[in-house]
């Protein structure tokens, strides 16, 4: 029969598909129908349990009941049915879509392809476009299945692990995507349960099973606690982008993702966490001090780091602007805090001895500390010195820089690693840097040596050895000072 | 100190790793576990198994082996002077964690990095050991990304490339001055030297595989790098210039841009406030324009303002189009591919569709609307049989018409 004859006879054909994802069956029937010259509007495609497309609901039920019996016999010399590679690729995906009209759409395209072999290139054609959209939705669903299936481990009676997942795909993709999971988990025993059917892999063969319910899957897995911890920790609260997350992981998937239950609390806590990070590092905005007196006053009122809250006072530097030498210690100690002057305790006295022996006049130098407040812990009735942290040194660096720009020394002598950090902004090794000048950005020379309190902690031969090195460092500074100031 | 549980250490070491933006698992050699003993497959396309509320995909288990570090880089949460909790994993613990996550389909594989303990060689050997156990003892065929340490011996880095799908070395900062100031222990020359050596190995291995089918693969997914944005003063044009040079000189697969973000116990040297996340987004858009749209670094620089920074309210392609209005409107029925790619709102896929379908019909505006996401955005810059933008392209307030009102999503 020709197409015209089908129409004039009012013929109508119904094809019952054995399964909603049986693309091969559709291909075979569609080929026969094209060969029989049956126009698209004379065919209904019916899924198992379905009533076909819109046509069927318009009162043609009676004629459809006879189903495939009415398919026309193939002509004696069937003409070849052609379809482009592109059509096959797109149609294979689109056939898995859950929309009922998909097979009719595919048949219409196949029909049109016979007269226009390059039809699929015309993506502005509404039917081609629609087909591409269906295929795209199916591919996305498959991709999300690869991503969001979550296996839970159960130990079977024979002692072997069995990984079982519950997943709810939007389309008929389960069978088509089984291959992905087989290739990935070839040597594992696993099952994927869905409302449309289930698949089981035992390491060698795949078995298909009936639709399942959520309750059929295991309800938990101890590893999920670790996974949730990972999920919460890898999240950066300082860059909240909820929209970006939702577009890729829509809420409909959340109920089957063990980590998703954390999302609301992570979002709720994010801003608080970021604010806490920013305020923890906050420094007050203030103008650069114009005189050393302003530095002393400002440092006394400064609360940029936690040390200031110890209830101690800021110990200001001593000396005059223009002093050629600036001597920097770590931080005031117990006696310095009480006296309000730098280097007056045991370490200060040791320093004074060594300075005198090296011929350096302390009164002509500017003496200060990298950190202005005394940091300590109580031990009984004593205040025990605690080293300032790198961050505290870096915070207090602002005051040290202010002092240095006012004094403008030619040589800066840093006693210990904390003082060196206060000047350089990085931690250096004193043993590696001592005995030579480091040029600072304003042209001054930085000389690094140990802190005198280090000598106080040593005994006997070690102390004598270190004291000699310390003296040598001071002598080198004195020699350089003499050379520079002439 | 009490013994930390595995979970506590996972929290510390995942937290310490999150400032590395890369999480790609794509573009590697195809492999699967059929006929093997273990698990794993890579099929070309990367898979994002979850998304965190920061919008970043979670594809790999991204952790550090340890966050102890002898380096003192100011921008890094793991620098030695930071007051942050420290932890370490044994290689076997990382292997078990990876396999347990992988078998449950949480991840595509492992992205392992580390703070520097003892010295660079020792650290690198530990990283390689994890990859070796996964590949050799467990026949793991999933994705492995190893961060390599430029200071380590080339021979150890070579080992890493034999086990890993991808290796990466971070250039960290776009300018050498920034690197010297913020990462005093690192050396720009050494970093680029290591990247260059890795490139040579990748090229060599690819060449050998052409001639000998069983020659070992070396980092089949190539190498990538990361730059921190907003911690030093480099402008967008400078960053894009640097990235373009990295792509050109070293054949990198990706350059990642990571907007510097506030970290707990930050160094006082750093700016406190983060640069807008949108800036990072604009850099990625420019990166895409260079890689897929035929833009030269100079085109991106032209799109930027006088200070060298890209506008934040419009994307760089639109910024370029607004500056070079004389090139528009583009006739979608005649223009060559290069010009269609310059039209704001037309992506590579839309351009391919236009090129294919215009062989069959003369396109009207309705047709273009079906082929693109938003015809409103495209309309001022194209003409079709039934549409000319006449005055629209020249309107002084065109920019205002096209800027989308952005709104940051917050709580819900």
């Amino acid at each position: 029969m020709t197409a015209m004859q089908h129409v004039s006879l009012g013929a109508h054909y119904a094809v019952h598909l054995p399964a909603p994802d049986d693309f091969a069956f559709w291909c075979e029937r569609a080929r026969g129908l094209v060969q029989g010259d049956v126009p698209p509007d004379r065919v209904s495609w019916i899924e198992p349990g379905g009533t076909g497309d819109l046509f069927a609901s318009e009162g043609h039920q009676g004629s459809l009941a006879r189903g495939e019996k009415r398919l026309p016999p193939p002509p004696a010399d069937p003409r070849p049915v052609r379809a482009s590679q592109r059509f096959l690729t797109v149609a294979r995906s689109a056939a898995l879509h859950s929309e009922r009209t998909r097979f009719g759409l595919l048949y219409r395209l196949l029909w049109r392809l016979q007269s226009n072999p390059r039809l699929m290139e015309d993506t502005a054609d509404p039917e081609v476009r629609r087909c591409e959209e269906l295929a795209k939705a199916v591919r996305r669903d498959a991709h999300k299945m690869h991503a969001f299936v979550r296996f839970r481990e159960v130990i079977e009676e024979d002692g072997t692990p069995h990984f079982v997942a519950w997943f709810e795909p939007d389309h008929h993709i389960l069978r088509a995507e089984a291959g992905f999971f087989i290739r990935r988990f070839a040597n594992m025993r696993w099952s994927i349960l869905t409302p449309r059917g289930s698949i089981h892999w035992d390491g060698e063969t795949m078995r298909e099973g009936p639709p399942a319910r959520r309750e059929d899957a295991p309800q938990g897995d101890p590893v999920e606690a670790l996974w949730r911890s990972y999920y919460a920790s890898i999240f950066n609260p300082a860059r909240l982008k909820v929209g970006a997350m939702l577009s890729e992981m829509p809420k409909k998937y959340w109920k089957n993702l063990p980590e998703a239950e954390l999302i609301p609390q992570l979002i709720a806590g994010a801003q608080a966490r970021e604010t806490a990070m920013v305020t923890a590092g906050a420094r007050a905005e203030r103008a650069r001090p114009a005189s050393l007196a302003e530095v002393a006053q400002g440092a006394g009122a400064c609360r940029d780091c936690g040390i200031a809250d110890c209830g101690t006072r800021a110990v200001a530097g001593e000396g005059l602007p223009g002093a050629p030498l600036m001597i920097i210690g770590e931080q005031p100690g117990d006696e310095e805090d009480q006296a309000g002057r730098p280097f007056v305790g045991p370490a200060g006295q040791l320093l004074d001895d060594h300075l005198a022996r090296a011929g350096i006049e302390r009164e002509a130098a500017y003496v200060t500390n990298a950190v202005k407040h005394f940091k300590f812990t109580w031990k009984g009735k004593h205040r025990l010195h605690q080293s300032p942290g790198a961050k505290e040194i870096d915070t207090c660096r602002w005051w040290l820089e202010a002092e240095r720009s006012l004094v403008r020394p030619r040589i800066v002598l840093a006693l210990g690693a904390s003082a060196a950090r206060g000047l350089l902004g990085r931690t250096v090794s004193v043993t590696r840097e001592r005995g030579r000048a480091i040029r600072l950005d304003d042209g001054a020379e930085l000389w690094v040596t140990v802190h005198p309190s280090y000598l106080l902690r040593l005994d006997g031969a070690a102390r004598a050895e270190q004291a000699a090195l310390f003296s040598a460092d001071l002598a080198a500074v004195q020699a350089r000072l003499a050379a520079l100031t002439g | 100190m009490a013994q930390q549980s595995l979970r506590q250490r996972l929290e510390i070491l995942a937290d310490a790793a999150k400032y590395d933006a890369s999480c790609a698992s794509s573009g590697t050699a195809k492999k699967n576990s059929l006929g093997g003993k273990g698990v794993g497959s890579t099929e070309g396309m990367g898979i994002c198994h979850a998304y965190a509320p920061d919008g970043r995909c979670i594809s790999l288990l991204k952790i550090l082996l340890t966050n102890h570090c002898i380096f003192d880089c100011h921008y890094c949460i793991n620098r030695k002077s930071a007051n942050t909790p420290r932890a370490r994993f044994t290689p076997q613990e990382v292997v078990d964690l990876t396999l347990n996550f992988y078998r449950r389909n949480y991840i595509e594989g492992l992205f392992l990095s580390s703070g520097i303990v003892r010295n660079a060689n020792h650290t690198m050997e530990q990283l390689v050991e994890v990859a070796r156990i996964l590949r050799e003892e467990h026949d793991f065929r999933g994705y492995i990304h190893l961060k390599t340490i430029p200071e380590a011996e080339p021979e150890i880095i070579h080992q890493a490339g034999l086990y890993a799908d991808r290796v990466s070395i971070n250039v960290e900062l776009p300018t050498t001055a920034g690197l010297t100031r913020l990462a005093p222990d690192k050396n720009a020359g050494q970093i680029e030297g290591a990247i260059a050596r890795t490139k040579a190995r990748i090229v060599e291995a690819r060449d050998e595989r052409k001639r000998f089918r069983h020659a070992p693969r070396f980092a089949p997914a190539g190498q990538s790098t990361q730059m921190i944005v907003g911690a030093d003063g480099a402008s967008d044009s400078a960053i894009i210039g640097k990235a373009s040079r990295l792509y050109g000189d070293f054949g990198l697969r990706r350059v990642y841009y990571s907007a510097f973000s506030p970290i707990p116990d930050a160094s006082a040297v750093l700016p406190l406030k983060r640069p807008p996340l949108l800036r990072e987004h604009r850099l990625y858009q420019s990166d895409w324009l260079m890689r897929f749209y035929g833009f030269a670094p100079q085109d991106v620089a032209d799109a930027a303002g006088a200070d060298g920074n890209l506008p934040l309210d419009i994307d760089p392609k639109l910024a370029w189009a607004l500056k070079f209005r004389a090139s528009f409107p583009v006739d979608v029925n005649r223009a060559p591919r290069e010009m269609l790619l310059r039209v704001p709102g037309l992506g590579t896929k839309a351009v391919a569709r236009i090129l294919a379908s215009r062989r069959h019909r003369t396109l009207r505006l309705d047709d273009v609307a079906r082929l693109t996401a938003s015809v409103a955005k495209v309309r001022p810059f194209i003409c079709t049989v039934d549409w000319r933008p006449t005055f629209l392209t020249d309107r002084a307030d065109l920019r205002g018409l096209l800027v989308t009102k952005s709104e940051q999503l917050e709580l819900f």
Side-chain angles (χ1 to χ4, degrees):
Chain A
M1 279 195 287
T2 63
M4 280 313 290
Q5 286 168 315
H6 287 295
V7 175
S8 60
L9 284 173
H12 197 89
Y13 304 98
V15 182
H16 291 266
L17 291 131
D21 60 348
D22 201 337
F23 181 63
F25 182 88
W26 176 86
C27 285
E28 192 194 313
R29 288 292 182 275
R31 191 183 307 118
L33 287 165
V34 171
Q35 284 169 342
D37 216 9
V38 180
D41 60 353
R42 301 283 129 189
V43 188
S44 293
W45 301 88
I46 302 165
E47 290 177 47
T51 49
D53 58 19
L54 292 174
F55 230 97
S57 57
E58 285 171 12
H60 292 253
Q61 211 74 37
S63 61
L64 288 176
R66 272 167 285 166
E68 291 193 56
K69 279 180 218 144
R70 289 190 49 188
L71 284 192
D77 54 336
R79 61 192 167 105
V81 179
R82 297 200 184 278
S84 63
Q85 193 58 48
R86 178 73 192 152
F87 172 76
L88 286 173
T89 312
V90 177
R92 188 168 284 123
S93 292
L96 305 179
H97 202 280
S98 50
E99 194 179 88
R100 284 183 305 136
T101 56
R102 64 191 182 281
F103 289 114
L105 173 70
L106 293 181
Y107 186 65
R108 276 198 302 283
L109 283 171
L110 182 67
W111 178 264
R112 291 176 59 199
L113 270 168
Q114 304 314 307
S115 55
N116 178 5
R118 301 180 69 178
L119 172 66
M120 294 308 286
E121 288 173 16
D122 185 6
T123 43
D125 180 276
E127 284 185 343
V128 174
R129 188 87 189 104
R130 179 72 193 135
C131 187
E132 299 246 6
E133 278 165 9
L134 294 183
K136 188 175 171 191
V138 169
R139 282 198 309 271
R140 183 176 160 93
D141 198 34
H143 189 68
K144 294 299 177 198
M145 180 178 177
H146 299 168
F148 297 149
V149 159
R150 295 282 184 267
F151 286 112
R152 287 171 164 164
E153 187 182 29
V154 280
I155 303 297
E156 293 294 328
E157 282 160 14
D158 59 0
T160 56
H162 181 194
F163 292 86
V164 184
W166 166 252
F167 189 72
E168 295 167 60
D170 288 341
H171 306 294
H172 306 284
I173 56 170
L174 180 64
R175 214 180 327 202
E177 297 311 319
F180 171 85
F181 292 95
I182 291 172
R183 290 190 296 278
R184 173 157 289 199
F185 303 112
N187 303 297
M188 246 165 60
R189 184 172 167 202
W190 54 262
S191 302
I192 298 176
L193 314 179
T194 82
R196 299 174 194 268
S198 50
I199 47 175
H200 310 273
W201 174 260
D202 63 2
E204 279 165 13
T205 47
M206 192 187 92
R207 200 162 49 77
E208 288 179 31
R213 290 164 310 149
R214 178 195 297 273
E215 301 81 71
D216 299 335
Q219 297 307 306
D221 185 320
V223 176
E224 283 176 4
L226 280 174
W227 172 241
R228 273 193 287 264
S229 295
Y230 175 70
Y231 182 78
S233 306
I234 204 73
F235 161 59
N236 183 352
R239 37 182 311 151
L240 200 58
K241 275 183 165 178
V242 179
M245 171 188 69
L246 284 173
S247 77
E248 294 297 339
M249 198 167 80
K251 277 189 176 167
K252 67 178 177 188
Y253 292 109
W254 289 16
K255 59 180 182 293
N256 294 325
L257 296 170
E259 65 273 20
E261 64 189 55
L262 297 175
I263 293 172
Q265 74 197 60
L266 288 177
I267 294 174
Q271 281 179 324
R273 282 169 71 189
E274 189 191 0
T275 315
M277 281 191 271
V278 173
T279 46
R283 278 153 290 172
E285 294 282 331
R286 51 173 84 85
R288 195 122 194 142
S291 69
L292 289 171
E294 278 184 41
V295 173
Q297 204 183 3
C302 175
R303 292 288 177 274
D304 285 354
C305 75
I307 307 182
D309 300 327
C310 287
T312 52
R313 64 161 117 183
V315 176
E318 263 184 6
L320 297 170
L325 176 65
M326 184 162 170
I327 301 174
I328 302 170
E330 183 190 62
Q331 64 169 352
D334 183 53
E335 290 183 37
E336 283 82 3
D337 180 54
Q338 287 173 26
R341 295 182 52 212
F343 280 112
V344 293
Q349 282 154 25
L350 187 63
L351 175 67
D352 286 347
D353 292 348
H354 278 272
L355 287 176
R357 236 174 294 155
I360 299 174
E361 226 181 313
R362 175 169 166 166
E363 288 67 34
Y366 185 87
V367 182
T368 188
N369 283 301
V371 173
K372 302 290 183 264
H373 283 86
F374 176 37
K375 184 179 177 184
F376 65 92
T377 49
W378 286 103
K379 189 167 188 191
K381 282 194 237 168
H382 297 285
R383 300 194 293 179
L384 200 69
H385 164 275
Q386 281 215 304
S387 295
K391 180 151 185 225
E392 288 151 351
I393 299 172
D394 292 345
T395 307
C396 214
R397 196 174 165 200
W398 196 85
W399 296 111
L400 189 63
E401 291 288 313
E403 279 177 299
R404 195 156 71 84
S405 66
L406 290 165
V407 177
R408 299 204 62 80
R410 306 288 292 275
I411 292 185
V412 181
L413 175 61
L415 304 174
S418 298
R421 184 177 179 99
L423 285 152
L424 295 169
R426 61 190 162 96
T427 303
V428 295
S429 153
V430 172
T431 41
R432 212 177 302 153
E433 300 295 337
R434 74 191 307 174
R436 60 190 176 88
I438 302 169
R439 188 154 301 272
L440 296 175
D441 47 12
D442 66 347
E445 285 180 10
L446 169 65
W447 291 71
V448 180
T449 184
V450 295
H451 195 277
S453 64
Y454 170 61
L455 304 181
L456 290 176
R457 290 198 299 272
L458 296 172
D459 290 317
R463 180 165 179 171
E465 189 190 334
Q466 285 300 322
L469 286 172
F470 187 54
S471 293
D473 284 343
L474 293 191
V477 167
Q478 167 59 11
R480 188 73 188 128
L481 199 59
L484 281 176
T485 52
Chain B
M1 193 173 70
Q3 187 75 42
Q4 294 161 319
S5 71
L6 181 71
R7 187 168 159 185
Q8 284 168 326
R9 284 179 292 150
L10 176 64
E11 279 166 8
I12 293 172
L13 293 170
D15 188 86
K18 70 182 163 202
Y19 300 98
D20 221 306
S22 164
C23 201
S25 55
S26 56
T28 188
K30 289 192 179 179
K31 48 187 185 284
N32 62 54
S33 51
L34 292 171
K37 300 197 303 289
V39 289
S41 64
T42 49
E43 307 201 337
M45 209 200 296
I47 299 174
C48 298
H49 284 271
Y51 289 81
D54 54 15
R56 280 185 167 164
C57 105
I58 300 174
S59 179
L60 305 171
L61 170 63
K62 180 159 53 175
I63 48 173
L64 301 189
L65 196 56
T66 172
N67 64 341
H68 290 278
C69 192
I70 57 172
F71 281 9
D72 202 9
C73 311
H74 286 283
Y75 51 80
C76 180
I77 183 177
N78 305 312
R79 68 188 188 285
K80 86 176 156 190
S81 60
N83 178 26
T84 186
R86 308 280 172 171
R88 65 180 305 169
F89 281 132
T90 63
Q92 189 60 48
E93 282 170 332
V94 176
V95 167
D96 293 342
L97 211 47
T98 308
L99 291 174
N100 273 329
F101 279 10
Y102 198 93
R103 289 196 191 107
R104 287 162 180 78
N105 204 39
Y106 300 160
I107 52 170
E108 283 296 289
L110 173 68
F111 178 1
L112 188 63
S113 180
S114 181
I116 317 262
V117 276
R118 259 190 265 173
N119 56 51
N121 283 345
H122 171 78
T123 311
M124 198 63 227
E125 277 164 8
Q126 295 279 302
L127 295 180
V128 171
E129 177 64 6
V130 173
R132 188 197 65 76
I133 299 176
L134 276 172
R135 291 283 195 236
E136 291 186 354
E137 292 178 18
H138 296 277
D139 195 18
F140 176 68
R141 300 186 185 178
Y143 193 93
I144 298 180
H145 179 162
L146 288 182
K147 183 66 65 184
T148 50
I149 299 162
E151 293 80 11
E153 293 290 328
E155 204 29 60
I156 311 174
I157 298 184
H158 182 67
Q159 281 295 318
L162 293 178
Y163 293 122
D165 291 280
R166 171 170 285 183
V167 292
S168 62
I169 300 170
N170 286 356
V171 297
E172 308 292 9
L173 289 156
T175 62
T176 310
L179 191 75
T180 320
R181 194 169 69 86
L182 295 176
D185 304 300
K186 299 203 179 195
N187 175 310
Q190 200 167 30
I191 292 174
E192 294 204 359
I195 297 179
R197 272 198 302 280
T198 305
K199 178 206 174 185
R201 290 279 165 91
I202 291 173
V203 172
E204 209 174 287
R206 206 163 288 156
D207 183 54
E208 278 171 11
R209 273 191 74 86
K210 274 186 203 140
R211 285 179 288 143
F212 310 104
R213 214 158 56 84
H214 294 290
R217 290 183 193 278
F218 184 89
Q223 62 173 335
S224 61
T225 192
Q226 170 169 306
M227 274 191 268
I228 296 162
V229 175
D232 66 354
S235 69
D236 290 347
S237 327
I239 292 171
I240 286 298
K242 169 90 176 182
S244 145
R245 200 169 63 72
L246 289 170
Y247 280 123
D249 291 357
F250 305 120
L252 296 184
R253 286 291 181 86
R254 283 292 296 276
V255 174
Y256 290 93
Y257 309 91
S258 177
F260 154 70
S261 77
I263 50 177
D265 198 42
S267 158
V269 175
L270 280 179
L272 258 177
K273 288 197 58 166
R274 64 179 187 200
L277 286 182
L278 209 48
R279 182 171 174 204
E280 181 189 285
H281 183 57
R282 296 296 178 226
L283 285 170
Y284 276 116
Q285 287 178 322
S286 313
D287 192 88
W288 247 252
L289 290 180
M290 288 198 301
R291 290 193 298 146
F292 305 114
Y293 289 81
F295 275 63
Q298 187 54 46
D299 292 327
V300 177
D302 289 342
D307 58 352
N309 285 331
L310 294 162
L312 290 179
D313 55 343
I314 53 174
D315 66 73
K317 199 172 168 194
L318 179 57
W320 187 88
L322 289 175
K323 273 206 177 163
F324 297 92
R325 294 194 193 190
S327 314
F328 299 95
V330 166
D331 183 346
V332 289
N333 283 305
R334 285 163 197 268
R337 184 167 180 275
E338 303 83 82
M339 265 330 285
L340 288 173
L341 285 173
R342 297 257 160 172
V343 174
L346 288 186
T348 47
K349 281 190 189 147
V351 168
R353 283 193 212 116
I354 288 174
L355 291 175
S357 61
R358 77 185 185 184
R359 269 185 255 142
H360 297 268
R361 58 175 73 210
T362 313
L363 294 171
R364 310 175 72 82
L365 194 61
D366 280 351
D367 296 325
V368 177
R370 252 188 311 252
L371 297 176
T372 60
S374 155
V375 75
K377 196 171 179 198
V378 180
R379 220 165 43 168
F381 301 100
I382 58 167
C383 46
T384 61
V385 194
D386 59 341
W387 165 260
R388 291 193 74 81
T390 43
F391 298 115
L392 203 47
T393 317
D394 297 323
R395 273 176 70 153
D397 60 348
L398 177 58
R399 181 185 166 117
L401 294 176
L402 292 169
V403 172
T404 42
K405 301 282 171 289
S406 64
E407 185 188 356
Q408 172 106 23
L409 281 175
E410 297 289 356
L411 309 171
F412 74 103

